[in-house]
Amino acid sequence: MTRHALSRRFRKFLPRTSIIDQPESLRVYECDALSAYRQPPLLVVLPEDIAQVQKTMRLCNELRVPVVSRGAGTGLSGGALPHAKGIVLSLAKMNAVLEIDAANRIARVQPGVRNLAISQAVAHLNLFYAPDPSSQIACTIGGNVAENAGGVHCLKYGLTVHNITALKIVTMDGTLITLGGAALDCPGFDLLALMIGSEGMLGVVVEVTVKLLPLPETARVMLGVFDSAAKAADSVTSIIAAGIIPAGVEMMDNLAIRATEEFVHAGYPRDAAAILLCELDGSEEDVVAQVKQVRRILEQHGAVETRLARDEKERALFWSGRKSAFPAIGRISKDYYCMDGTIPRKHLSRVLTGIQRMSDEYGLRVANVFHAGDGNLHPLILYDAGEPGELHKAEKMGEQILELCIQVGGTITGEHGVGIEKMGGMCVQFSDRERAQFHAVRESFDPQRLLNPGKAIPTLARCAEHNAMHVHRGELPFPDLPRF
Ligand SMILES: Cc1cc2nc3c(=O)[nH]c(=O)nc-3n(C[C@H](O)[C@H](O)[C@H](O)COP(=O)(O)OP(=O)(O)OC[C@H]3O[C@@H](n4cnc5c(N)ncnc54)[C@H](O)[C@@H]3O)c2cc1C
């Protein structure tokens, strides 16, 4: 079907302002934050309510037109990359907070509401929505659900999947279904959990009920300064082994620290090999006791300095550095490729050593800035897409980092999803049988495979090709690294 013919069909039930069909305007939607891959869609539609989403899905199902849902397009794995013969279904216009139920500590919101806007909407009630991706100023709750997003505070308060009680979904044939509810548990298969992290392949999220938590009485953040990344990493394991669950523990290495300081002047020591930001929250009494304990542990691990933010202003400043780290890296390199492997915490220093070794071998700089408490690594591989072969080199190196994560018992994504980016990693992490099961689940929702096709679950043929070219399951990318 041509663009204009399809556009005409949509005009029967969508306002003209909800259809984008001009080539220059479609360019805006050609990629998400994985900008190395670009593909303009056939058309973009922006429904304003659930009924319009349903009609959109029914039409696409009938005409066999692929549908890629899109929130804010901040995804880092190419999940919202359009299909050349498909539409992008943007949820941007469905951005209202529908209901705040303070007594039950829940809120019902539309999918296009920004993550941070939820906490802002309930702040006057001393409540907040806990999962806080660093992109929270822009990313949407619908995108968070599709990616099972994490953030600084997920170490203590859980990921998106732990903070959602119900979803309304429109399936590919236009049916509206409700998953979960106000109660803590529902009988039957847990389709709510299945939907969270399904990367827009099972349905379109059209309404989300989120849990709200009381704002802690107090929160303090401690900056630990280290002359070695390994010492910083080991102290993270010790903090948690001591029975303390900080609200967040984030780590940055020297390259990330310097880039961030240049950008936001957060007060980080430029010559440190690594810093840790450890936030403790709760009652005043508990926080005071935990601050002492954490300081002792950091010192035992050789911290050259520990600094407790003096007040709210300094606490916000310390966090502003961490939250601006990705854009800060964008200022020192033409391009960067953000990885997202998760490993058991105890292997942090070994894997960081492995990454450094790969960086030397490939001749590409790496900045590490990550959710250390969750063992969720974000090595940012710096490259220049203008240099022939550099993107390919960065991708090869990224794949090897993820394979190393699997080797130590980890996984190829902690929060950014698989998208198009980590299809190769899926071939390494899952067997043919396991991937066939994923396809079967998908087809039970969308038999024609029209929802976000070509993402997240590689076909058997693709994996056969990948495994012929790459390191095989169980084989170390760098054979001289210790096997864990
Ligand atoms: C600077 C920066 C920092 C980041 N930090 C973090 C972080 O700390 N933690 C983290 O988890 N992520 C982080 N991310 C990644 C990204 O912000 C998250 O993955 C976020 O959840 C994506 O939300 P979005 O609204 O932008 O979704 P999009 O990028 O638009 O879409 C992401 C995926 O969700 C699907 N989707 C979107 N909306 C819907 C819907 N309503 N129904 C069904 N499917 C849908 C899309 O098809 C796509 O597959 C970061 C990104 C950037 C650029």
Side-chain angles (χ1 to χ4, degrees):
M1 167 153 288
T2 66
R3 174 169 300 146
H4 291 300
L6 189 59
S7 182
R8 270 200 304 277
R9 294 291 296 267
F10 277 112
R11 266 181 254 164
K12 290 189 179 155
F13 59 87
L14 288 180
R16 189 68 189 92
T17 48
S18 289
I19 304 167
I20 297 174
D21 55 8
Q22 296 304 306
E24 61 280 10
S25 306
L26 292 171
R27 286 263 163 218
V28 175
Y29 295 86
E30 69 183 1
C31 68
D32 59 10
L34 181 67
S35 56
Y37 295 89
R38 289 163 193 266
Q39 170 61 61
L42 200 57
L43 211 69
V44 176
V45 300
L46 298 102
E48 292 170 356
D49 56 33
I50 293 178
Q52 290 183 358
V53 174
Q54 288 181 283
K55 286 179 186 162
T56 297
M57 298 300 273
R58 276 187 209 119
L59 180 63
C60 290
N61 202 39
E62 177 200 325
L63 301 176
R64 303 191 68 183
V65 171
V67 177
V68 177
S69 302
R70 181 178 169 113
T74 66
L76 286 162
S77 58
L81 181 77
H83 190 285
K85 294 184 176 157
I87 65 157
V88 162
L89 193 164
S90 166
L91 282 306
K93 287 192 178 183
M94 293 173 64
N95 62 354
V97 173
L98 300 170
E99 185 192 356
I100 296 167
D101 180 350
N104 287 307
R105 291 208 195 131
I106 52 173
R108 263 188 330 112
V109 302
Q110 289 187 314
V113 171
R114 291 176 304 111
N115 173 295
L116 186 59
I118 301 177
S119 290
Q120 286 170 339
V122 297
H124 66 288
L125 298 165
N126 262 337
L127 297 171
F128 75 116
Y129 173 65
D132 53 348
S134 304
S135 52
Q136 67 179 155
I137 193 167
C139 67
T140 66
I141 190 71
N144 292 173
V145 167
E147 299 290 11
N148 190 16
V152 168
H153 288 103
C154 292
L155 174 62
K156 181 165 184 179
Y157 298 109
L159 297 161
T160 303
V161 69
H162 306 113
N163 286 280
I164 301 292
T165 69
L167 290 175
K168 281 191 182 163
I169 304 290
V170 175
T171 55
M172 193 61 224
D173 63 5
T175 309
L176 178 66
I177 54 174
T178 302
L179 306 175
L184 281 183
D185 194 16
C186 274
F189 293 147
D190 192 351
L191 297 183
L192 178 63
L194 177 63
M195 194 59 60
I196 299 171
S198 62
E199 303 199 24
M201 298 175 80
L202 302 183
V204 182
V205 177
V206 291
E207 192 181 298
V208 185
T209 305
V210 299
K211 285 185 198 167
L212 302 172
L213 297 179
L215 280 166
E217 186 184 308
T218 188
R220 310 291 300 272
V221 64
M222 178 167 309
L223 176 74
V225 181
F226 290 85
D227 59 10
S228 120
K231 289 180 191 168
D234 290 342
S235 61
V236 174
T237 317
S238 298
I239 290 169
I240 293 171
I244 303 165
I245 306 291
V249 185
E250 300 288 303
M251 182 167 157
M252 292 166 70
D253 71 5
N254 181 261
L255 187 52
I257 294 167
R258 279 185 290 130
T260 304
E261 266 309 288
E262 282 297 315
F263 186 32
V264 288
H265 313 296
Y268 301 160
R270 286 170 200 253
D271 54 349
I275 57 167
L276 282 185
L277 286 170
C278 180
E279 178 150 302
L280 301 153
D281 69 3
S283 70
E284 187 67 38
E285 201 183 341
D286 285 350
V287 170
V288 168
Q290 289 186 353
V291 161
K292 271 194 203 146
Q293 255 181 303
V294 167
R295 180 169 271 146
R296 201 169 44 241
I297 293 169
L298 297 185
E299 286 168 357
Q300 278 164 357
H301 282 275
V304 291
E305 185 189 353
T306 56
R307 223 192 283 164
L308 189 66
R310 282 166 300 212
D311 48 29
E312 261 312 294
K313 199 169 155 213
E314 193 171 37
R315 173 173 167 257
L317 187 65
F318 282 177
W319 280 123
S320 76
R322 166 63 184 91
K323 299 241 172 189
S324 310
F326 286 16
I329 297 295
R331 295 172 79 238
I332 63 162
S333 175
K334 291 212 165 116
D335 301 281
Y336 70 79
Y337 182 31
C338 174
M339 306 309 300
D340 171 43
T342 300
I343 55 168
R345 266 186 304 266
K346 63 182 179 181
H347 294 314
L348 275 175
S349 65
R350 287 173 170 186
V351 171
L352 289 174
T353 306
I355 293 172
Q356 184 53 50
R357 209 185 292 193
M358 292 182 209
S359 163
D360 296 341
E361 185 146 317
Y362 278 85
L364 295 175
R365 290 184 298 164
V366 175
N368 286 291
V369 40
F370 59 98
H371 310 306
D374 307 85
N376 182 204
L377 299 165
H378 289 327
L380 305 177
I381 305 172
L382 279 51
Y383 72 100
D384 177 356
E387 286 294 317
E390 275 226 339
L391 169 61
H392 181 64
K393 216 159 65 157
E395 286 181 326
K396 289 282 295 174
M397 182 176 159
E399 264 187 34
Q400 290 199 334
I401 292 175
L402 296 183
E403 280 162 8
L404 179 57
C405 292
I406 298 172
Q407 293 292 340
V408 301
T411 169
I412 58 169
T413 169
E415 54 185 22
H416 297 169
V418 175
I420 51 159
E421 181 210 5
K422 303 187 194 83
M423 297 287 262
M426 289 293 280
C427 302
V428 181
Q429 185 162 350
F430 296 99
S431 68
D432 288 353
R433 199 170 265 272
E434 287 159 346
R435 286 190 310 273
Q437 204 61 51
F438 288 153
H439 282 296
V441 170
R442 181 194 177 179
E443 278 167 29
S444 70
F445 282 82
D446 172 22
Q448 301 195 87
R449 297 190 186 192
L450 293 172
L451 263 174
N452 220 358
K455 311 276 174 66
I457 315 168
T459 59
L460 297 185
R462 180 166 176 153
C463 284
E465 201 182 308
H466 176 89
N467 290 335
M469 291 187 317
H470 291 76
V471 181
H472 291 275
R473 213 176 154 86
E475 196 179 292
L476 279 172
F478 284 83
D480 56 340
L481 279 174
R483 204 177 270 276
F484 308 111

